[in-house]
């Protein structure tokens, strides 16, 4: 691995640790030229299905979009980042277990709504109000009534 500080092509692994959940390997490396240390992370590369948008476009799955959706819905809500990460991992696991090459964006939206409903009712309503793009207040009221039950 090339050193990020001096671009020297040879670095030495000083320490290796497997994450608690076993999802990735953390390596501390040291450059052979400048002696600076840096950390690298190794995780398996998996192939997520492409996302089919409402207009028919096909795009690559992008985890950062999922993180952004959760962040907006959960802004100023008492939900830890650990809980958010777990929810995202459950969604990604479901996407991988589908075994399909493509998935509708609406399916991902429904998975997000299901996870948000478990995490925080206010965040669920925030996300659903944008995602479902209600036409009138009665539709919104029905959603709130559903959550209250």
């Amino acid at each position: 691995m090339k050193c990020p500080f001096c671009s020297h092509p040879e670095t030495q692994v000083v320490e290796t640790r497997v994450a608690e959940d076993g999802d990735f390997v953390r390596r501390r490396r040291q450059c052979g030229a400048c002696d600076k240390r840096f950390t690298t992370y190794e995780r398996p590369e998996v192939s997520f299905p492409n996302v089919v948008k409402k207009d028919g476009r096909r795009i690559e799955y992008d985890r950062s979009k999922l993180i952004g959706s959760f962040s907006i819905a959960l802004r100023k809500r008492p939900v830890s980042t650990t809980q958010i990460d777990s929810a995202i991992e459950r969604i990604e696991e479901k996407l991988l277990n589908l075994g399909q090459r493509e998935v509708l964006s609406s399916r991902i939206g429904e998975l997000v709504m299901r996870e948000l409903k478990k995490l925080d009712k206010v965040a669920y309503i925030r996300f659903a109000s944008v995602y479902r793009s209600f036409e009138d207040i009665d539709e919104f009221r029905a959603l709130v009534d559903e959550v209250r039950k």
Side-chain angles (χ1 to χ4, degrees), residues 27-119:
R27 297 191 195 278
R28 288 291 292 160
R29 297 177 178 269
Q30 184 169 355
C31 177
C34 69
D35 286 332
K36 289 189 179 178
R37 290 184 176 204
F38 60 98
T39 304
T40 59
Y41 297 91
E42 294 177 22
R43 65 179 60 224
E45 187 173 313
V46 291
S47 180
F48 285 97
N50 284 333
V51 178
V52 181
K53 306 294 276 183
K54 286 180 185 177
D55 64 4
R57 288 180 300 128
R58 284 156 171 73
I59 61 170
E60 285 187 29
Y61 170 79
D62 185 355
R63 186 176 215 261
S64 66
K65 289 185 178 185
L66 211 54
I67 293 168
S69 294
F70 272 86
S71 297
I72 291 168
L74 290 162
R75 183 172 289 141
K76 296 185 180 182
R77 299 300 304 154
V79 178
S80 72
T81 54
T82 304
Q83 290 173 297
I84 296 169
D85 289 343
S86 295
I88 290 172
E89 286 174 18
R90 284 189 295 273
I91 291 170
E92 289 182 332
E93 185 176 329
K94 286 174 186 162
L95 291 175
L96 289 173
N97 288 338
L98 288 173
Q100 297 174 343
R101 296 179 69 189
E102 295 182 335
V103 64
L104 296 174
S105 60
S106 59
R107 175 78 172 121
I108 296 173
E110 293 298 325
L111 292 172
V112 170
M113 285 183 33
R114 190 175 305 148
E115 290 296 332
L116 283 172
K117 193 172 187 179
K118 290 184 228 172
L119 289 175

